[in-house]
């Protein structure tokens, strides 16, 4: 079988795979963020054959476009920026069968996975599958906020892609919606290219990341933060011009050139919802036991897909622990025991 290779990095390759492959790795990892790559690296060290599937063009997950420091302390004992941390993970994963641009479309029985890749659809069957697809922010539409669709409405993740991957600034003075810790990351991202948000607002009764957002944003960066704010409308036709909101019973319109929706995280668990493995009602992620095993004995899950957002270090540790559980489970089945 011939492989078509596409250079992803100087020392790293992502593979374009033709249809109708018949490989059967010990472990199929879905998602090449901190949890997925850490699991793949640990599984390889434990002697397992591993294939990693990633829908993005480059491995590394969200840290790739988080240009501020705060990454690597738990798993590398280093304080790095997000891109440097992602590069370290890719370097450790060098030699693993890593396939970027390959989106998983369905989980089937017995570890079967349907995939859409550059060469068309195909399927793989792993002896075990690890779901490490991460988490995403809730966009404006899902928050049921009225108004038109002018340019300048985006999430923090989209803003970071603009700034750190494409070196472009879609807005200079936006309003940040959401007061979770990622709002502070939004301020740092805007400052990277000399921009500054007008304010931080949140519909919650209290700011969610006290005192970092409430005090840090105002005292360090001069950005005010308000809670208990209801957005009435986003103004503007072609581009965002203002936001109208209600605060303490008073309606106010604040001029801005963008709206950045931050936080309100949702596990990227579409594959789990389409599979009978079970979803946890409180976390909206797959239901797992202490060994990261779902109700399907062939499928495990780790990282932020399981619960509300956590930083890269705990997710990486999740991935390593899941790899150990999977290796132990495979060792049991090699001795003739059925999967748990």
């Amino acid at each position: 079988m011939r492989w078509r290779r596409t250079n992803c990095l100087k020392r790293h390759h992502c593979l374009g795979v033709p249809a109708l492959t018949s490989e059967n790795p010990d472990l199929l990892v879905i998602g090449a963020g901190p949890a997925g790559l850490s699991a793949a690296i640990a599984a390889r060290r434990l002697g397992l054959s591993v294939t990693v599937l990633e829908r993005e063009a480059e491995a590394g997950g969200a840290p790739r476009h988080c240009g501020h420091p705060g990454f690597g302390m738990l798993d590398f004992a280093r304080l790095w920026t997000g891109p440097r941390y992602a590069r370290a993970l890719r370097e450790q994963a060098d030699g693993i069968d890593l396939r970027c641009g390959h989106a998983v479309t369905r989980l089937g029985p017995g570890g079967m996975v349907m995939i859409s890749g550059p060469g068309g659809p195909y399927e793989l069957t792993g002896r075990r599958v690890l779901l490490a697809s991460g988490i995403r922010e809730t966009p404006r539409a899902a928050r049921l906020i009225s108004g038109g669709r002018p340019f300048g409405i985006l999430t923090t993740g989209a803003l970071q892609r603009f700034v750190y991957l494409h070196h472009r600034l879609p807005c200079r003075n936006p309003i940040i919606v959401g007061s979770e810790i990622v709002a502070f990351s939004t301020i740092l991202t805007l400052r990277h290219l000399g921009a500054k948000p007008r304010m931080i607002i949140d519909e919650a009764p209290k700011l969610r990341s006290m005192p970092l957002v409430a005090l840090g944003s105002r005292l360090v960066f001069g950005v005010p933060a308000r809670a208990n704010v209801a957005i009435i409308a986003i103004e503007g036709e072609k581009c965002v011009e203002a936001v109208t909101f209600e605060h303490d019973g008073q309606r106010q319109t604040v001029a801005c050139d963008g709206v950045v929706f931050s936080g309100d995280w949702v596990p990227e668990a579409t594959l789990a919802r389409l599979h009978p493995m079970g979803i946890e009602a409180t976390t909206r992620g797959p239901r797992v036991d202490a060994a990261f095993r779902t109700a399907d004995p062939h499928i495990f899950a780790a990282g932020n897909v399981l619960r509300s957002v956590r930083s890269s270090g705990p997710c990486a540790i999740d991935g390593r622990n899941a790899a150990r559980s999977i290796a132990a489970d495979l060792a049991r089945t090699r001795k003739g025991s059925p999967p748990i």
Side-chain angles (χ1 to χ4, degrees):
M1 180 180 298
R2 297 181 64 187
W3 296 90
R4 178 167 57 84
R5 293 179 178 260
T6 320
N7 283 334
C8 182
L9 291 170
K10 183 177 179 182
R11 293 178 51 219
H12 196 82
H13 295 86
C14 288
L15 306 178
V17 184
L20 302 178
T21 61
S22 58
E23 302 156 278
N24 298 102
D26 292 325
L27 175 60
L28 267 175
V29 180
I30 301 172
L37 286 182
S38 297
I41 294 163
R44 179 178 62 176
R45 290 172 179 168
L46 292 169
L48 305 185
S49 59
V50 184
T51 294
V52 182
L53 304 168
E54 169 57 52
R55 66 184 179 187
E56 297 281 345
E58 184 181 48
R64 292 181 303 125
H65 45 77
C66 294
H68 53 80
F71 297 85
M73 284 300 297
L74 286 182
D75 40 344
F76 288 95
R78 298 288 188 275
L79 185 61
W80 287 328
T81 64
R84 176 64 184 89
Y85 172 73
R87 186 167 76 250
L89 285 175
R90 291 193 297 265
E91 288 170 352
Q92 285 200 350
D94 191 30
I96 290 176
D97 180 9
L98 171 58
R99 307 180 185 185
C100 296
H102 291 249
V104 175
T105 57
R106 187 169 70 88
L107 299 175
M112 187 272 286
V113 173
M114 295 295 298
I115 306 159
S116 176
Y122 66 103
E123 68 178 58
L124 291 176
T125 299
R127 298 184 64 198
R128 295 295 181 271
V129 175
L130 177 66
L131 185 60
S133 47
I135 205 165
R136 57 180 170 80
E137 292 168 292
T138 302
R140 174 259 187 97
R143 301 184 193 219
L144 303 178
I145 294 176
S146 63
R149 306 185 71 176
F151 178 78
I153 302 174
L154 65 169
T155 63
T156 297
L159 174 69
Q160 290 173 332
R161 287 182 175 89
F162 268 110
V163 172
Y164 295 120
L165 299 185
H166 306 292
H167 307 290
R168 295 179 179 274
L169 196 60
C171 49
R172 299 198 63 84
N173 302 112
I175 287 178
I176 300 173
V177 180
S179 61
E180 296 177 52
I181 194 169
V182 69
F184 207 73
S185 177
T186 308
I187 297 176
L188 295 175
T189 300
L190 289 165
R191 281 175 56 87
H192 186 75
L193 292 183
K196 179 182 176 180
R198 293 283 188 205
M199 62 172 58
I200 297 172
I201 61 176
D202 199 326
E203 65 179 1
K206 295 182 179 180
L207 296 174
R208 307 185 203 195
S209 295
M210 293 286 289
L212 183 61
V213 170
L215 299 179
S217 62
R218 178 179 285 277
L219 297 179
V220 178
F221 301 113
V223 179
R226 298 181 184 177
N228 197 27
V229 173
I231 296 179
I232 306 301
I234 297 174
E235 315 289 350
E237 295 184 5
K238 293 183 178 180
C239 297
V240 173
E241 298 175 0
V243 171
T244 299
F245 58 83
E246 189 173 282
H247 176 60
D248 291 338
Q250 296 183 344
R251 184 167 294 196
Q252 182 179 357
T253 298
V254 176
C256 61
D257 62 355
V259 180
V260 181
F261 290 96
S262 68
D264 201 2
W265 301 95
V266 179
E268 192 64 84
T270 303
L271 292 171
R273 283 193 291 271
L274 297 175
H275 186 281
M277 69 177 68
I279 293 292
E280 189 67 49
T282 55
T283 64
R284 293 182 285 179
R287 185 180 297 117
V288 296
D289 64 11
F292 301 93
R293 184 187 294 105
T294 71
D296 185 325
H298 295 89
I299 301 177
F300 291 66
N304 275 337
V305 72
L306 295 179
R307 58 183 69 84
S308 181
V309 66
R310 295 176 300 160
S311 59
S312 58
C315 290
I317 293 172
D318 257 14
R320 292 178 183 177
N321 291 334
R324 296 187 186 102
S325 294
I326 291 167
D329 195 41
L330 289 173
R332 289 181 65 260
T333 58
R334 289 190 181 101
K335 295 178 180 179
S337 300
I340 296 176

